[in-house]
Amino acid sequence: MNTKRKSPRWLLLLKRTILLFAVLFALTASFMMHPQFGKRPAGERLKRIQESKQFKNGRFQNSNPIPQLTQSWSIALCDYFCRRSDETAPRHKIPTVALNWKELLAKSQSLVWLGHSSYFLHLDNKNILVDPVLSGSISPIPGSGKAFEGADITTAEELPPIDYLFISHDHYDHMDYKTLKTLQPRVGKIIVGLGVGSHLEYWGYRPDQIVEKDWWEEIDLGDGFKLTVTPARHFSGRSIWTANTLWASYALETPSLKLYLGGDSGYDSHFKEIGDKLGPFDLAILENGQYDLSWKYIHMMPEEVVQAAKDLKASLLLPVHSSKFVLANHAWYEPLERVSKEAKKQQQGLLTPLIGELVDLEHASTAPSYWWKI
């Protein structure tokens, strides 16, 4: 006689649930080990971080304490998924211009916007690249965060050698693993905030390639190029760690021009401080897009972007951080529409080139392009 009793149904379901969660945990843990998530600062790099005035209570802090969200996560998520514009992405291929590297490099002072916050500068015979994301995606999750149709006009393989590469902070839409891995052999110096070098060394960059600085530190890059690492009001983080690397902006002086290279930042008094100390600037490149009232302290509204340019004492403003990826609720064209209206109101010189369009900074046209209306 078989006296073996069957396990209760609830116990079988519990075992299967535990097994499922164990498998999911193992897969997630394995995925999170991918190099794209970077590496936490350690050793001498961590000691230097801990000496920074910006590093308090185990985290980097903004100059003026702010919440990342102005309302609860539940309300912010509800807004994100339920109250979005139905035009967060263009319905058709956006207009762009095919890159002409020969023409670009023949100019003494030129610029080309590569979409979102990526742009290439050729200044006084130096090639400068900022926040390059050229792999077609801003998300570590396969199949998500894709670029708008037409917005990818070049690849990392097609870029010329880079003298100076600037990274404003380590978020995925500014610091792309695939792009940076490809570029490494052709980069002279890569300039970053404190701690960001940990990711780069993990990805194969040599220590002698990396210039890693704190806010207000100055760097003589040689050949008449001088740099000051300047504040921003934002945050950082890859993987599950946040605020363990420093976010920054840059004031760059070349033999011919003074430029402000802004990363992501909410509006605050640091723009006026930078303008008073280091301005005026010939050109300020500022984030304009992916904003929301829920996170207004870490991303500027378009009207604030114009005010920031005024604070910086910038003759020209180039708005970036739009027209390539969906990261917010607003219509994809709204940032450029609003910043154009405000710049006209405040009589601020504004550049709104198409992605890929050559901008000759010696003869730059500030006439409204309104290309996003096409």
Side-chain angles (χ1 to χ4, degrees), residues 184-323:
Q184 185 275 324
R186 289 177 288 132
V187 171
K189 297 292 183 183
I190 182 165
I191 297 94
V192 297
L194 291 180
V196 179
S198 181
H199 302 314
L200 295 169
E201 287 189 14
Y202 188 41
W203 297 344
Y205 280 77
R206 304 184 312 273
D208 66 287
Q209 286 181 287
I210 302 169
V211 179
E212 195 169 354
K213 295 292 183 179
D214 201 350
W215 291 350
W216 298 114
E217 289 190 329
E218 299 178 354
I219 308 158
D220 187 343
L221 294 169
D223 299 320
F225 284 75
K226 299 177 182 179
L227 180 75
T228 303
V229 180
T230 45
R233 188 166 86 169
H234 199 55
F235 68 111
S236 66
R238 296 176 84 90
S239 187
I240 60 174
W241 300 286
T242 62
N244 64 341
T245 62
L246 185 62
W247 48 98
S249 59
Y250 302 97
L252 176 64
E253 183 176 352
T254 79
S256 304
L257 298 170
K258 288 177 69 175
L259 301 93
Y260 178 77
L261 313 178
D264 285 359
S265 179
Y267 180 76
D268 205 350
S269 58
H270 65 280
F271 289 115
K272 187 175 188 307
E273 183 181 11
I274 294 166
D276 289 343
K277 288 183 177 180
L278 303 172
F281 293 96
D282 298 292
L283 172 66
I285 304 176
L286 295 169
E287 67 133 79
N288 175 59
Q290 322 316 324
Y291 49 78
D292 192 282
L293 289 175
S294 292
W295 52 85
K296 66 178 182 178
Y297 294 123
I298 56 175
H299 286 292
M300 287 186 282
M301 299 295 175
E303 294 74 21
E304 293 176 317
V305 175
V306 177
Q307 186 57 54
K310 291 286 188 181
D311 291 350
L312 290 163
K313 304 175 185 177
S315 297
L316 293 175
L317 164 64
L318 172 67
V320 297
H321 209 241
S322 69
S323 307

Side-chain angles (χ1 to χ4, degrees), residues 7 15 45 93 155 163 191 209 223 243 302 312 346 373:
S7 299
K15 289 180 178 178
R45 178 174 279 114
K93 183 178 180 180
T155 65
D163 295 291
I191 297 94
Q209 286 181 287
D223 299 320
L312 290 163
Q346 294 203 38
K373 294 178 179 287

